Amino acid sequence: MDNKKTLFSGVQPSGRFNIAGYIGAVSQWVKMQEKYNCIFSIVDYHAITIKQDPQVLKRQIKEVAKIYLAAGIDPKKSIIFQQSAISAHTELTWILNCYGVRMSDLNKMTQFKDKAGKNQESASVGLFDYPVLMAADILLYNTNLVPVGEDQKQHVELARDIAKRINFQFGDLFVVPQAIIKEEGARIMSLLNPKNKMSKSDTNQNNSIALLDDIDLAKKKIMKAVTDSGSEIVYDKEEKPAIANLLTIYAQLGNREIPRLVKDYQGKGYSDFKKDLAEVVAKFLSDFQTKYNKISDKEVEDVLNEGAKRAEKLAKYKLDEIKNAIGVK
Ligand code: TYM
């Protein structure tokens, strides 16, 4: 073993992977591969906390793996695997359910409240328990760092609490992980309603831009994005949330700095700004899709098989240690 820190993160293969997940999470992973031992999962057992069509789910699992590769995750450096291939994740979830987490912890989770809406009583137990599966993902690999978007912060905090609680009972079993959240781009907002976050599960596709969207369609979505009152391009999240969000997307996908963009657009209107942004998004998508389309299904299969083998070894070792500590082995 080297003494690099371990980094773990994942994406659910649900809905259509959009630029928000790319900006908030995946884009920062790529740069971290040299410095850390990285493990990236396609978290399919998280996806089934909401009903999925089996055929669509199968396709989306492959799609997320291809997106990882196209984004620049290198399977020679990082482990890429499908969560359900490693049963230790669900086994550890059970142990954490029993020893590490209380009903009151999960009752506080804002994402559960958002997703279950008014129907909390009829939501699945899986949806309620989702953050514990996420904690298991993280803790199983002695993870130090978890790069995620802002919406996952509360879940990582819970993983920290669970780790501390179990360490208190059984000695130092778990590394206490830390979230890494970008200063800019950790919360990309919806194009038509900048008060809501851009989300894969949004039924209105005009709110988000998928990485695999048709390029002309993506441009149209930018042109249709809502703007704020007034006409100046300034970065003010409170007063101009729509423009602040579009500036963030521009800066992130176009590799620019927001203050510089604001300067460049002084005296210009929303329409010029959106036209340029549409081109930036189009160029980004076009480059991305060119890389994506070069990756074969066979390559993805091989990467996932190899990744599962590597993850399995680490996971089994850790799970045995935990089973031993709690007295079942
Ligand atoms: P998921 O699949 O919803 O999202 C994947 C990643 O994208 C980030 N993200 C965003 N970032 C910026 N702006 C947005 N509007 C936006 N929407 C999503 C998410 O924060 C996330 O980083 N529970 C996780 C997956 C998971 C996981 C884990 C992550 C399961 N186990 C262990 C880290 C470690 C989720 O549902 O992400």
Side-chain angles (χ1 to χ4, degrees):
M1 275 304 260
D2 51 38
N3 45 23
K4 280 184 184 172
K5 286 186 173 172
T6 299
L7 181 146
F8 186 102
S9 202
V11 170
Q12 290 189 58
S14 58
R16 305 190 63 224
F17 197 115
N18 60 40
I19 56 168
Y22 176 82
I23 294 173
V26 178
S27 69
Q28 52 167 342
W29 302 353
V30 177
K31 298 174 199 132
M32 293 170 171
Q33 295 181 95
E34 303 298 333
K35 203 162 165 206
Y36 305 114
N37 289 322
C38 293
I39 308 174
F40 300 115
S41 185
I42 297 134
V43 289
D44 48 355
Y45 275 166
H46 276 103
I48 63 162
T49 56
I50 304 270
K51 273 210 174 66
Q52 303 288 337
D53 174 316
Q55 290 314 317
V56 176
L57 182 60
K58 277 185 194 181
R59 195 188 66 226
Q60 285 176 173
I61 290 167
K62 301 265 150 45
E63 226 170 72
V64 173
K66 268 193 196 178
I67 285 173
Y68 284 2
L69 296 173
I73 307 293
D74 179 351
K76 290 197 194 78
K77 293 181 192 144
S78 304
I79 297 179
I80 301 176
F81 78 102
Q82 188 178 336
Q83 181 191 39
S84 65
I86 313 291
S87 56
H89 289 244
T90 41
E91 286 186 63
L92 179 56
T93 303
W94 184 254
I95 297 170
L96 302 184
N97 275 336
C98 297
Y99 281 126
V101 65
R102 308 182 187 119
M103 296 288 285
S104 60
D105 297 317
L106 297 181
N107 272 324
K108 284 186 207 137
M109 296 293 121
T110 54
Q111 194 167 87
F112 173 72
K113 290 183 203 157
D114 289 348
K115 286 197 175 168
K118 291 193 191 88
N119 305 318
Q120 287 197 12
E121 290 300 314
S122 57
S124 74
V125 174
L127 186 65
F128 188 62
D129 203 34
Y130 163 135
V132 185
L133 176 59
M134 179 162 162
D137 296 340
I138 297 168
L139 300 180
L140 197 51
Y141 298 93
N142 293 327
T143 302
N144 305 96
L145 302 167
V146 187
V148 282
E150 166 96 22
D151 63 335
Q152 296 301 321
K153 193 172 165 192
Q154 194 184 31
H155 294 155
V156 181
E157 289 293 326
L158 179 67
R160 288 171 62 84
D161 289 345
I162 292 176
K164 287 183 200 158
R165 253 178 230 158
I166 297 212
N167 286 351
F168 184 72
Q169 297 169 76
F170 298 104
D172 274 347
L173 261 185
F174 292 127
V175 171
V176 180
Q178 204 185 325
I180 308 184
I181 294 172
K182 275 175 130 177
E183 272 175 32
E184 263 168 33
R187 192 172 175 81
I188 300 294
M189 309 311 277
S190 142
L191 296 177
L192 297 178
N193 185 354
K195 289 210 167 68
N196 296 339
K197 68 168 185 176
M198 187 180 284
S199 160
K200 283 188 292 212
S201 52
D202 198 325
T203 45
N204 184 349
Q205 297 289 330
N206 289 326
N207 274 322
S208 60
I209 292 177
L211 291 176
L212 303 179
D213 259 352
D214 171 81
I215 290 172
D216 285 331
L217 175 70
K219 282 177 156 179
K220 282 191 191 124
K221 289 184 187 178
I222 294 288
M223 295 314 290
K224 276 197 215 138
V226 297
T227 47
D228 306 293
S229 55
S231 60
E232 264 176 282
I233 315 288
V234 286
Y235 184 79
D236 183 336
K237 275 190 183 168
E238 296 301 318
E239 296 294 319
K240 294 208 170 198
I243 294 297
N245 189 44
L246 295 179
L247 274 167
T248 305
I249 295 174
Y250 198 141
Q252 292 286 325
L253 297 185
N255 255 324
R256 302 283 307 272
E257 309 238 315
I258 291 180
R260 181 77 226 183
L261 282 173
V262 169
K263 252 194 190 153
D264 289 352
Y265 282 94
Q266 245 171 25
K268 294 187 187 162
Y270 289 160
S271 161
D272 284 339
F273 172 70
K274 286 212 284 188
K275 263 186 222 148
D276 292 351
L277 173 58
E279 289 309 320
V280 165
V281 170
K283 163 101 177 57
F284 169 79
L285 291 183
S286 154
D287 292 349
F288 186 86
Q289 291 174 12
T290 304
K291 288 184 209 142
Y292 181 95
N293 290 329
K294 281 192 189 136
I295 302 161
S296 69
D297 289 348
K298 170 81 172 71
E299 190 179 339
V300 168
E301 227 171 84
D302 291 348
V303 165
L304 291 180
N305 285 336
E306 174 62 23
K309 272 192 216 145
R310 289 169 67 195
E312 172 96 65
K313 253 193 221 155
L314 301 171
K316 187 172 181 321
Y317 185 85
K318 187 72 195 178
L319 188 65
D320 280 350
E321 191 189 335
I322 299 160
K323 282 183 167 177
N324 181 40
I326 66 165
V328 295
K329 194 167 183 130

